[in-house]
Amino acid sequence: MGEMDNDILKEFVAEAREHLATIESDLLAIEEAGANIDEDRVNKVFRAAHSIKGASGFFGLNKIKELAHKAETVLDLIRSHKLSPNAEITNLLLGAFDKLREMVNDPAASESADTRTFLEGLSCLALSAQESDNPG
């Protein structure tokens, strides 16, 4: 990593942290609203996942990218009213974003992070939503 890369990476970390700063309160508010989706808020969290996905892809931080992508998919399903944000979904997203924050704060170690539980949980959610959307 050159000095230049390092600066860009620092910028990515700072920006991602900013995106993640209010995630917890946003997700809790989304859960509270339940089926009465606050689209602005969901969009805000979606954009956080989306921009982290894009930037981590640029740096080849694949574990971060993959987890952000899965979170983004679930948020998109909430946004399009295919998933209703209950406690289970919110806790999973909170956990996933916590993990993202941890990985973003230490990008070098992020590739060896264990994200499997979150990936599986989020994949299952997405799958169940997509299946109930087009039965049989």
Side-chain angles (χ1 to χ4, degrees):
M1 271 256 205
E3 199 50 53
M4 169 79 177
D5 291 346
N6 224 344
D7 284 344
I8 303 173
L9 188 60
K10 280 195 188 108
E11 208 166 293
F12 158 66
V13 171
E15 201 171 297
R17 276 188 187 147
E18 211 168 288
H19 279 298
L20 292 166
T22 58
I23 288 276
E24 199 167 326
S25 52
D26 286 332
L27 284 170
L28 293 170
I30 288 167
E31 180 191 344
E32 221 166 280
N36 183 18
I37 307 285
D38 175 351
E39 285 187 20
D40 285 345
R41 218 182 259 269
V42 179
N43 279 332
K44 187 177 159 199
V45 180
F46 178 87
R47 276 197 306 273
H50 186 74
S51 78
I52 290 170
K53 182 187 84 173
S56 56
F58 174 76
F59 289 111
L61 300 166
N62 293 316
K63 283 255 173 107
I64 295 178
K65 180 183 165 190
E66 190 181 20
L67 186 53
H69 178 61
K70 287 273 190 269
E72 185 187 53
T73 303
V74 168
L75 287 159
D76 192 40
L77 289 163
I78 292 173
R79 191 166 65 167
S80 54
H81 297 265
K82 288 174 185 160
L83 268 181
S84 188
N86 57 22
E88 179 203 1
I89 292 172
T90 311
N91 286 337
L92 193 53
L93 283 168
L94 280 170
F97 277 108
D98 263 354
K99 193 70 187 174
L100 280 171
R101 181 186 284 116
E102 198 182 294
M103 294 197 292
V104 157
N105 281 329
D106 191 357
S110 70
E111 284 297 292
S112 56
D114 183 9
T115 52
R116 203 174 55 236
T117 324
F118 298 115
L119 292 174
E120 281 170 8
L122 293 167
S123 294
C124 284
L125 275 180
L127 220 69
S128 66
Q130 282 149 353
E131 274 168 13
S132 65
D133 196 42
N134 35 31

